[in-house]
Amino acid sequence: AQSVTQPDIHITVSEGASLELRCNYSYGATPYLFWYVQSPGQGLQLLLKYFSGDTLVQGIKGFEAEFKRSQSSFNLRKPSVHWSDAAEYFCAVGLGLTGGGNKLTFGTGTQLKVEL
Amino acid sequence: AAGVIQSPRHLIKEKRETATLKCYPIPRHDTVYWYQQGPGQDPQFLISFYEKMQSDKGSIPDRFSAQQFSDYHSELNMSSLELGDSALYFCASSPPGTSTDTQYFGPGTRLTVL
């Protein structure tokens, strides 16, 4: 079964500083990888996704993530954090099996706090 | 752009009551997923439907049932509610013709069981 680990439960950065959120996955084949962001009491917004091809993917709001097969990682980065980025970030893995309807397995999330 | 619609947004029920949550996917999306997110937890997969057939099943209690209708909307029926069912319930949808599992989430229904 697939699993996702987000080692950092909480991260605090200063506004304008760079950000990296870690995500490691466990799956026998190449997974489909996603990053979602959730503001308090809100739904999950898709930031970016990786299926194949270029291992550096660009997303919305200036985020990017790099897939590293050798490290089973899919870390999320942003060069300069804005106060509005404060939220919870979830990494997720999908199996991509044919037929559709395949579940996503989420990590436990990383809570980002931005200091002004 | 149209998003996933969930209703109601908030629901308060007593123990042992029933609840029905509704989900309207993004237009032309044919796959619907349900997730449960407890306080401070990550979303846990409950069940999914692809072209109106159950596709995958997770840790959904036997007290819960769901279906997808001909117009692709879905309903999650919850009976004999327990205090532990209090959570945020998300619906997500994904477009046809792909197995990439890109899921777009609705705003959620917050269920409180008293």
Side-chain angles (χ1 to χ4, degrees):
Chain A
Q2 71 276 22
S3 66
V4 179
T5 301
Q6 293 180 245
D8 305 303
I9 299 174
H10 299 279
I11 282 186
T12 300
V13 299
S14 299
E15 189 175 36
S18 63
L19 171 70
E20 182 169 29
L21 302 182
R22 296 184 290 165
C23 171
N24 293 96
Y25 68 90
S26 173
Y27 181 52
T30 300
Y32 292 171
L33 295 162
F34 306 84
W35 275 99
Y36 286 87
V37 61
Q38 184 180 30
S39 297
Q42 301 300 309
L44 295 151
Q45 183 181 23
L46 178 65
L47 286 176
L48 47 77
K49 57 191 178 186
Y50 171 78
F51 300 142
S52 64
D54 193 350
T55 56
L56 183 64
V57 294
Q58 303 295 322
I60 62 172
K61 302 184 178 186
F63 286 93
E64 66 178 27
E66 186 172 13
F67 171 63
K68 293 185 177 180
R69 184 188 303 275
S70 61
Q71 299 176 21
S72 298
S73 69
F74 188 57
N75 294 348
L76 182 72
R77 301 194 294 248
K78 186 170 185 178
S80 178
V81 169
H82 188 263
W83 65 266
S84 60
D85 293 325
E88 185 145 28
Y89 291 79
F90 289 97
C91 181
V93 61
L95 298 183
L97 302 175
T98 56
N102 302 298
K103 68 178 182 181
L104 291 180
T105 297
F106 287 85
T108 49
T110 297
Q111 187 70 46
L112 174 65
K113 180 180 176 182
V114 180
E115 290 183 333
L116 300 177
Chain B
V4 176
I5 296 172
Q6 292 188 245
S7 68
R9 293 293 309 278
H10 301 273
L11 191 58
I12 299 175
K13 291 287 185 178
E14 300 278 344
K15 279 173 52 178
R16 291 179 289 276
E17 286 190 321
T18 61
T20 297
L21 279 53
K22 297 184 179 182
C23 169
Y24 298 87
I26 293 172
R28 292 178 294 282
H29 283 198
D30 61 356
T31 306
V32 168
Y33 312 76
W34 287 97
Y35 291 83
Q36 177 192 58
Q37 186 179 33
Q41 304 294 314
D42 55 290
Q44 295 291 316
F45 173 75
L46 292 177
I47 196 167
S48 63
F49 293 88
Y50 169 59
E51 275 295 341
K52 292 157 280 185
M53 299 287 289
Q54 182 180 307
S55 176
D56 198 1
K57 193 172 182 180
S59 50
I60 183 169
D62 292 340
R63 300 177 290 107
F64 294 7
S65 66
Q67 58 181 323
Q68 186 179 33
F69 294 85
S70 58
D71 64 351
Y72 295 103
H73 93 273
S74 178
E75 295 184 2
L76 178 65
N77 298 292
M78 311 159 71
S79 63
S80 302
L81 287 169
E82 302 174 355
L83 296 178
D85 297 328
S86 295
L88 198 53
Y89 290 83
F90 288 111
C91 173
S93 71
S94 60
T98 177
S99 62
T100 54
D101 304 327
T102 302
Q103 297 177 26
Y104 299 89
F105 283 75
T109 293
R110 182 168 298 282
L111 172 66
T112 302
V113 181
L114 303 176

